Amino acid sequence: DAKTTQPPSMDCAEGRAANLPCNHSTISGNEYVYWYRQIHSQGPQYIIHGLKNNETNEMASLIITEDRKSSTLILPHATLRDTAVYYCIVRASGGSNYKLTFGKGTLLTVNP
Amino acid sequence: GAVVSQHPSRVICKSGTSVKIECRSLDFQATTMFWYRQFPKKSLMLMATSNEGSKATYEQGVEKDKFLINHASLTLSTLTVTSAHPEDSSFYICSARAGEDTDTQYFGPGTRLTVL
């Protein structure tokens, strides 16, 4: 699976949009981009995933560049409860290996 | 969304005892479940992958005789830490793949194990 690069930390003001970048320059054509987050002392929470088109759900939007070498997770109106470590993971679809490899992620701190 | 539970949420045990952690998919059947371990201020590390009805596949460096995994049904996987020692103290998290036609994994809330 392709490696991802994320900033170690980011700050965001409550009520503003939080834009979390992820670089995955070695991504292959069959690899999806997954985003999870982990609030302190809890299990990771699935947020969103995509292949090449932009995706949106009730939690966030995922913007993937046309060359697929980077993506941005957008939390449109960050709240204090969005403070967490956000993980960007790239992995292939299907096959017999469904492993997720977690990097260090980005610690997003939402400030009042 | 798919819900995964773990029990217990927290356990404290004496060195040398065995501890069993249960992972259940509550509203879906999970043919594949995963067990992770997380040390303080570190990221999740995959320990093993379990498929219902077959032996688990362990990651390199994980002792299969120490971390026994059983995936006896489509909704339940168990991790038993045998002869636990203080260095086994960690946050153990399971996840389940939500069906055959998706690769998305849903995680349990985790189990905090403290070995005295």
Side-chain angles (χ1 to χ4, degrees):
Chain A
D1 297 327
K3 182 178 178 180
T4 62
T5 303
Q6 298 178 254
S9 63
M10 292 183 65
D11 283 283
C12 176
E14 187 178 18
R16 306 297 292 267
N19 299 288
L20 293 97
C22 179
N23 286 323
H24 31 78
S25 59
T26 60
I27 192 170
S28 300
N30 67 339
E31 289 182 317
Y32 284 75
V33 180
Y34 282 81
W35 283 85
Y36 286 81
R37 73 180 183 183
Q38 186 177 25
I39 296 170
H40 183 62
S41 294
Q42 298 182 25
Q45 177 187 23
Y46 166 77
I47 302 173
I48 199 167
H49 75 282
L51 182 62
K52 55 183 179 180
N53 296 323
N54 296 336
E55 302 287 344
T56 295
N57 62 21
E58 64 278 4
M59 289 184 67
S61 294
L62 174 60
I63 308 299
I64 302 173
T65 58
E66 191 168 346
D67 63 7
R68 302 187 68 238
K69 292 185 177 182
S70 65
S71 60
T72 301
L73 178 74
I74 301 173
L75 306 180
H77 305 287
T79 69
L80 299 179
R81 288 177 295 180
D82 291 322
T83 293
V85 177
Y86 287 76
Y87 297 99
C88 169
I89 302 169
V90 169
R91 67 165 306 278
S93 174
S96 60
N97 183 354
Y98 300 98
K99 296 193 295 185
L100 290 175
T101 302
F102 285 80
K104 296 182 179 180
T106 297
L107 172 60
L108 173 69
T109 302
V110 180
N111 301 304
Chain B
V3 179
V4 176
S5 70
Q6 277 184 246
H7 178 79
S9 59
R10 184 180 298 266
V11 58
I12 301 172
C13 69
K14 293 181 179 179
S15 185
T17 60
S18 294
V19 175
K20 179 184 284 188
I21 303 171
E22 293 186 348
C23 176
R24 293 181 184 273
S25 56
L26 298 185
D27 52 359
F28 66 99
Q29 293 184 330
T31 54
T32 309
M33 288 185 168
F34 306 83
W35 286 95
Y36 296 80
R37 181 168 54 182
Q38 186 175 34
F39 291 107
K41 298 189 183 301
K42 299 293 185 181
S43 190
L44 282 79
M45 294 296 295
L46 180 66
M47 299 174 66
T49 302
S50 75
N51 291 292
E52 185 265 339
S54 62
K55 291 184 178 180
T57 302
Y58 291 80
E59 295 299 299
Q60 190 173 11
V62 178
E63 301 175 58
K64 62 180 181 180
D65 294 331
K66 181 168 186 60
F67 299 99
L68 301 178
I69 292 172
N70 184 278
H71 192 161
S73 77
L74 288 173
T75 59
L76 173 64
S77 176
T78 60
L79 167 68
T80 301
V81 183
T82 63
S83 187
H85 288 94
E87 57 265 31
D88 298 323
S89 298
S90 188
F91 192 48
Y92 292 87
I93 310 168
C94 72
S95 72
R97 186 166 68 96
E100 292 295 333
D101 58 350
T102 177
D103 294 335
T104 301
Q105 291 181 31
Y106 293 90
F107 287 79
T111 296
R112 177 76 58 190
L113 171 63
T114 303
V115 184
L116 303 176

